[in-house]
Amino acid sequence: MTVKITAMQEKHLDQAYLLTQKLKWPHRREDWQQAWQLGEGVVAEQNGKVLGTVICWRWGQDYASTGLVIVADEAQGQGIGTQLMQAVLHKLQGVNVRLHATEMGQGLYEKLGFVATGQVRQHQTPELAKIAPVMPEQTQRLRQASADDLTRMVALDTEAHGQCRSALIHYLLHHAQRNLLLEEQGSVQGFASLRRFGHGFLIGPVICRDLAAAKVLVSALLMDLEGQFVRMDTPEQALSAWLNACGLHEVDGPVAMIRGVPWQPSGMLTFGLMSQAMA
């Protein structure tokens, strides 16, 4: 099969969205638009038909993530996924690249030099039950983020995973339903975002110092979502157990992989992902 690997353009998004629909992935057309605007992608085309996609996101000079790696059913087994990934990795030479692999895709990524570093647990519920709030400590306070908090939020986010995601945080401050900050004696020590995604709402990223702070942030966002579809992806096993107890059941567990040098957290930890694709 002869295909052409070209840069993803806005005109490709409708066909990319249809690929995820056929796979029964939850992505809306709006979710594709957001992913493409924050990153850059390539597509595999044959006679104007999109047969495969992949998007990457550059987070500073040292780290990037890649996801939405899709090959249409009728084009499987032709090496298209390898061609797409090689095209993206060529753009990211010298950069540490992260991704989350399905069981089907893990073998391909290992051949391209990726190694497993952990697991992400996908939690969701079609209808959130009423939950009990987890109250902050006396020295802590929750408040809504504003544009003035951009620099501090970017710094905390970078401490957690080494990626400088200023464009992403800027996007969340202007488009997310809620961006909640946890202050400790007047200093911002964590944040969590809530936005529309897929079938309903997604909580993430969640960046803070420890499990107790993560529960405070997440429970505060969950309080207004009773009866709603809610999803959260977490790399933290302890938070995963708590989410299960809250009725957000674990439904999937992709493998976290990196091609390059893993980042060691510096003060902050990642308790919730922006998405499995963007991490």
Side-chain angles (χ1 to χ4, degrees):
M1 177 180 289
T2 302
V3 299
K4 181 171 63 173
I5 306 297
T6 62
M8 182 181 288
Q9 301 176 42
E10 190 165 11
K11 68 179 183 180
H12 295 124
L13 297 184
D14 286 337
Q15 291 193 65
Y17 164 67
L18 289 176
L19 289 178
T20 45
Q21 287 284 290
K22 290 178 180 177
L23 290 171
K24 301 190 183 305
W25 289 11
H27 300 71
R28 305 169 302 157
R29 174 61 170 74
E30 296 93 328
D31 300 324
W32 270 99
Q33 185 79 30
Q34 175 206 78
W36 175 71
Q37 287 178 336
L38 289 170
E40 55 188 300
V42 294
V43 298
E45 282 187 291
Q46 185 182 53
N47 299 323
K49 182 178 182 180
V50 174
L51 296 175
T53 65
V54 60
I55 297 183
C56 65
W57 297 269
R58 300 173 187 266
W59 307 124
Q61 295 183 341
D62 298 325
Y63 285 90
S65 57
T66 187
L68 292 171
V69 184
I70 304 169
V71 177
D73 285 344
E74 66 269 26
Q76 294 284 340
Q78 305 296 319
I80 292 175
T82 299
Q83 292 180 60
L84 287 166
M85 283 300 299
Q86 287 174 335
V88 162
L89 293 175
H90 181 73
K91 294 173 177 285
L92 300 174
Q93 293 184 63
V95 177
N96 304 291
V97 184
R98 299 174 174 182
L99 58 77
H100 294 104
T102 62
E103 184 178 355
M104 182 180 297
Q106 187 173 352
L108 165 62
Y109 304 132
E110 289 173 344
K111 291 177 182 177
L112 293 170
F114 286 85
V115 296
T117 59
Q119 185 183 27
V120 171
R121 294 164 174 84
Q122 178 183 331
H123 290 261
Q124 64 187 45
T125 176
E127 189 173 329
L128 182 69
K130 184 177 181 63
I131 69 162
V134 178
M135 303 305 296
E137 298 178 5
Q138 290 186 349
T139 56
Q140 297 175 330
R141 132 180 129 97
L142 294 168
R143 69 171 174 86
Q144 298 299 316
S146 72
D148 293 337
D149 297 303
L150 173 65
T151 301
R152 180 57 178 158
M153 291 171 69
V154 171
L156 295 177
D157 194 55
T158 304
E159 284 183 25
H161 45 61
Q163 301 176 140
C164 184
R165 304 193 297 181
S166 54
L168 173 60
I169 304 302
H170 182 272
Y171 177 90
L172 290 170
L173 285 169
H174 289 83
H175 297 283
Q177 267 61 43
R178 294 185 70 190
N179 293 288
L180 200 58
L181 303 184
L182 180 64
E183 290 186 330
E184 179 81 35
Q185 297 182 334
S187 175
V188 177
Q189 296 296 317
F191 71 90
S193 296
L194 171 72
R195 72 184 196 283
R196 289 278 185 181
F197 177 84
H199 302 305
F201 292 92
L202 187 146
I203 293 176
V206 179
I207 305 294
C208 53
R209 194 174 303 280
D210 54 36
L211 177 63
K215 289 181 179 180
V216 169
L217 285 161
V218 174
S219 72
L221 293 177
L222 289 174
M223 294 303 296
D224 295 330
L225 299 177
E226 185 176 346
Q228 299 291 330
F229 183 102
V230 185
R231 171 176 169 173
M232 185 171 175
D233 300 293
T234 180
E236 292 291 336
Q237 187 172 358
L239 186 64
S240 176
W242 179 75
L243 290 171
N244 276 316
C246 290
L248 279 82
H249 301 296
E250 184 176 347
V251 297
D252 197 11
V255 176
M257 305 187 77
I258 190 166
R259 187 176 189 258
V261 181
W263 172 262
Q264 296 301 316
S266 176
M268 293 291 117
L269 297 172
T270 301
F271 284 91
L273 305 183
M274 171 69 180
S275 70
Q276 287 185 20
M278 280 188 248

